[in-house]
Amino acid sequence: MTGTAENTGRAWVYGDNVDTDLLAPGAYMKGPVETMATHCLEAIDPDFATSATAGDIVVGGKNFGMGSSREQAAQVLGILGIRAVVAKSFGGIFYRNAFNLGLLALVCPDVDKIASGDALSIDPAAGKIENLTQGTVIATEPVPDHLLNIVGAGGLVPYLEKKIKGAA
Amino acid sequence: MTVQTLTLAEKIIARASGREAVRPGEIVTCAVDLAMIHDSGGPRRVKPVLERLGVGVWDSKRVVVVSDHYVPAFDAESAAILKLTRDWARDQGIENFYDQQGICHVVLPERGHLRPGMFVVGGDSHSPTGGAFGSYMFGVGATDMAGVLVTGETWIRVPETIRLRWDGALPDGVSAKDMMLKLCATLGMDGGDYQAVEYSGTTIAGLSMTERMTLSNMAAELGAQAGLIAGDETTAEYIRQAGGDPGAFVGEQGDEDAPCRVEHRFDAFALDPQVAAPHSPANSGSVLDAEKAKLDQCYIGACTGAKLNDLQMAARVLKGRKVASGTRLFVAPASTRITAQAAADGTLAALTEAGAILLPSGCGACAGYGAGVLAEAEVCISSTARNFKGRMGAKSSQVYLGSPFTVAASAVMGHIADPRDFLAEGAA
């Protein structure tokens, strides 16, 4: 499969241990999550929230999303239009939160081969990322079936809605 | 066929999932014995989901609600969040609602809600604290929690167990917090790899429940899903004092020969007080090697560092001494019950006579909420669990982490200091 405009996004590359407090700063927790989204990652990259566009992909190193259970850390990325997060590993709670909110989180040992600004085309079902800028393909680890079902439904709430209303 | 040996985590998960045995890597659905939520990630986030689905909580007796983040209200928005929490708990018929009584991870066991063998989900990342009581307790986000509240169950990938064995007695002036900072530096913040950590050894056996809670609490900083300690007579006695029932799982341990991913061994007697430099608990090392950073603020608070034991540690250092001019010491006891106990035993007087300023019982500045946050470029040492960049206030603020002993000694000196020097001298 070749990358097309619809499934291609620009990479925003960060290092290890990007924490929930950087993604969703506590100072904005009581206000609307849309406001919080404008402060996402501002402590390490003031350009991210203003420049990220729909379909972009956030690339992290080890332990992406470590820290708090606040799911706004995943939610703000969705609000900014981020299609997926690709990282060497994830904080366990963030990983669950991402799928629950319909955001793809892909484990990829080779994120070091992605540079900021690279155009990426991701195919979670096939487990691969095509780097259109570099002309390379790297593999992602498979996503467990039950999580693909949740993300496929658009998140846990629509998934439960279908289940509950389907059973009624 | 031989019977499969099980770790403590596997025994609890097997029971919760209705199986004889489970194996690491399996994804199983577990019945939830108890769900705990707080005012920040709780009602205000789950209420719209329950309304959309047209259902209430699955069992109001198995839900505990604690208002601890926006307490006391400091503006109209935080007051509205607390009111929403109160109204929702009432509407759902939740009797176990603790309104501004302290931090959820401390209130939950304090009020007798935890016992060994339980499978518990908490709407907060420091939920592994419940592991100190032999409960398999872990943190989830609000949507995950909404799913639990609707269905009474959740999925889990059965974790491998990482055994952390500590032997020997801790030297005076060295505490569970120092053990955890040492572990963060040694294993890293992903050393737990979302598996189950299990603490054991003679050191653990000799620790009080509140010190054990510090170990389990900071399993979160190791990136573990849970931080378990098998229930023993110390656990049972705490639960009885709290008015709870220790239950039949007390004394149950993981099978000796159950496979685990790895076992790490540590000697408690050799441990120095530890200090974590900004901006990670993993930037820890001996206080002897720590920079003697000048401090604008010293903070004793949060679920990690303001339980009764923690306040008593600080009081031992501060009794008869004064907080240095040019710095400030805030103390936010982790619960109102702890405040009362600390008032009764003279601990509070020792702190306030030294110049400590008392703050309300709540999560407070630890997570950048409420009173005690930092200005740009200010430097703080804190008994809390996390010193992520900007977490406690302004983006350029700098937070060091230490034990309550170390924070207190640093408050007296106005810079980072070794508490053992103060304990050896006795009261000034």
Side-chain angles (χ1 to χ4, degrees):
Chain A
M1 190 181 83
T2 312
T4 60
E6 301 90 75
N7 63 4
T8 300
R10 200 168 33 138
W12 294 82
V13 179
Y14 301 102
D16 293 341
N17 296 315
V18 171
D19 65 68
T20 50
D21 298 55
L22 293 174
L23 291 160
Y28 307 102
M29 197 66 77
K30 70 180 154 75
V33 68
E34 292 75 14
T35 307
M36 179 188 274
T38 66
H39 298 279
C40 180
L41 294 176
E42 68 181 4
I44 57 167
D45 182 0
D47 294 332
F48 172 70
T50 49
S51 307
T53 52
D56 283 358
I57 293 159
V58 169
V59 179
K62 289 194 294 182
N63 210 14
F64 187 95
M66 71 162 185
S68 164
S69 63
R70 61 185 72 159
E71 67 181 9
Q72 290 95 331
Q75 196 177 8
V76 291
L77 293 174
I79 288 170
L80 295 173
I82 298 303
R83 182 196 305 278
V85 183
V86 182
K88 272 188 194 169
S89 65
F90 288 92
I93 304 178
F94 178 91
Y95 186 77
R96 289 178 72 117
N97 287 342
F99 286 95
N100 286 335
L101 295 167
L103 176 71
L104 266 177
L106 299 172
V107 176
C108 173
D110 292 327
V111 287
D112 297 341
K113 294 177 179 164
I114 302 171
S116 257
D118 282 359
L120 306 179
S121 169
I122 57 169
D123 185 345
K128 63 173 190 176
I129 299 173
E130 197 177 347
N131 189 325
L132 303 171
T133 307
Q134 301 190 20
T136 52
V137 176
I138 55 178
T140 59
E141 291 180 8
V143 177
D145 285 345
H146 77 295
L147 290 180
L148 279 179
N149 291 340
I150 289 172
V151 85
L156 182 65
V157 177
Y159 176 82
L160 286 174
E161 194 166 34
K162 217 167 116 190
K163 218 168 139 180
I164 288 171
K165 299 201 169 151
Chain B
M1 198 183 122
T2 53
V3 177
Q4 184 188 339
T5 54
L6 300 174
T7 64
L8 182 59
E10 288 159 8
K11 286 186 180 183
I12 299 172
I13 293 167
R15 185 201 52 77
S17 62
R19 298 177 178 212
E20 285 292 313
V22 290
R23 289 182 189 282
E26 278 186 293
I27 290 170
V28 295
T29 300
C30 292
V32 172
D33 293 311
L34 191 73
M36 189 265 307
I37 55 177
H38 58 56
D39 54 326
S40 184
R44 73 188 181 117
R45 306 268 304 172
V46 300
K47 183 174 180 267
V49 177
L50 267 61
E51 284 171 356
R52 176 169 163 186
L53 297 175
V55 292
V57 300
W58 98 103
D59 185 347
S60 60
K61 289 190 169 46
R62 292 183 184 272
V63 180
V64 177
V65 181
V66 182
S67 283
D68 60 3
H69 274 63
Y70 295 104
V71 304
F74 42 87
D75 56 18
E77 288 119 321
S78 51
I81 292 169
L82 292 177
K83 183 173 187 308
L84 184 153
T85 306
R86 212 171 283 130
D87 291 348
W88 186 85
R90 184 199 57 220
D91 294 345
Q92 294 288 327
I94 291 164
E95 288 166 20
N96 295 312
F97 171 45
Y98 302 101
D99 195 355
Q100 315 187 61
Q101 300 296 298
I103 304 169
C104 57
H105 307 298
V106 174
V107 169
L108 202 63
E110 199 177 60
R111 306 302 173 113
H113 290 296
L114 295 179
R115 65 178 176 278
M118 289 173 80
F119 186 87
V120 188
V121 177
D124 190 274
S125 62
H126 283 111
S127 297
T129 311
F133 296 84
S135 300
Y136 196 95
M137 183 163 178
F138 63 105
V140 297
T143 300
D144 233 346
M145 180 55 79
V148 170
L149 294 177
V150 168
T151 64
E153 55 185 40
T154 195
W155 66 273
I156 188 172
R157 182 189 196 115
V158 179
E160 294 182 85
T161 290
I162 296 170
R163 290 208 175 102
L164 302 176
R165 186 180 171 98
W166 285 79
D167 286 299
L170 286 168
D172 195 22
V174 183
S175 70
K177 177 64 175 290
D178 300 300
M179 294 165 69
M180 285 315 302
L181 292 177
K182 175 73 179 176
L183 288 172
C184 287
T186 307
L187 305 176
M189 290 202 68
D190 59 351
D193 193 26
Y194 208 48
Q195 309 301 312
V197 156
E198 186 182 335
Y199 303 97
S200 63
T202 58
T203 313
I204 313 300
L207 289 178
S208 67
M209 285 315 297
T210 50
E211 281 285 86
R212 293 181 188 183
M213 284 166 72
T214 303
L215 300 180
S216 294
N217 174 277
M218 285 190 68
E221 277 55 52
L222 295 173
Q225 186 176 42
L228 299 172
I229 299 172
D232 60 10
E233 190 42 44
T234 303
T235 322
E237 182 54 26
Y238 179 102
I239 294 169
R240 280 191 288 267
Q241 293 281 334
D245 172 9
F249 203 83
V250 171
E252 190 77 49
Q253 301 187 357
D255 296 325
E256 191 87 352
D257 51 350
C260 67
R261 178 187 282 192
V262 63
E263 177 174 274
H264 299 283
R265 289 172 175 257
F266 300 88
D267 290 320
F269 71 86
L271 190 64
D272 285 334
Q274 304 286 303
V275 172
H279 298 285
S280 169
N283 290 342
S284 290
S286 166
V287 67
L288 298 171
D289 302 324
E291 194 186 338
K292 290 189 168 46
K294 197 178 164 312
L295 299 163
D296 298 294
Q297 177 167 310
C298 307
Y299 188 84
I300 292 175
C303 50
T304 313
K307 302 178 292 304
L308 184 61
N309 264 22
D310 299 316
L311 304 190
Q312 289 166 337
M313 288 177 210
R316 271 190 64 204
V317 171
L318 288 166
K319 193 169 173 60
R321 298 194 171 91
K322 293 286 180 197
V323 172
S325 66
T327 192
R328 54 189 183 262
L329 171 62
F330 290 130
V331 177
S335 76
T336 52
R337 195 170 277 187
I338 289 169
T339 306
Q341 290 164 336
D345 75 2
T347 298
L348 274 194
L351 300 175
T352 53
E353 281 164 20
I357 299 160
L358 284 184
L359 296 180
S361 293
C363 304
C366 172
Y369 294 79
V373 296
L374 299 165
E376 294 291 352
E378 281 197 320
V379 181
C380 174
I381 188 166
S382 174
S383 69
T384 57
R386 289 186 187 136
N387 55 346
F388 298 162
K389 191 172 166 58
R391 177 173 164 94
M392 199 182 251
K395 289 194 277 286
S396 62
S397 58
Q398 308 266 314
V399 179
Y400 292 80
L401 301 176
S403 74
F405 281 129
T406 303
V407 174
S410 302
V412 170
M413 296 303 291
H415 60 73
I416 291 172
D418 188 338
R420 293 172 298 189
D421 301 339
F422 295 83
L423 299 170
E425 290 168 27

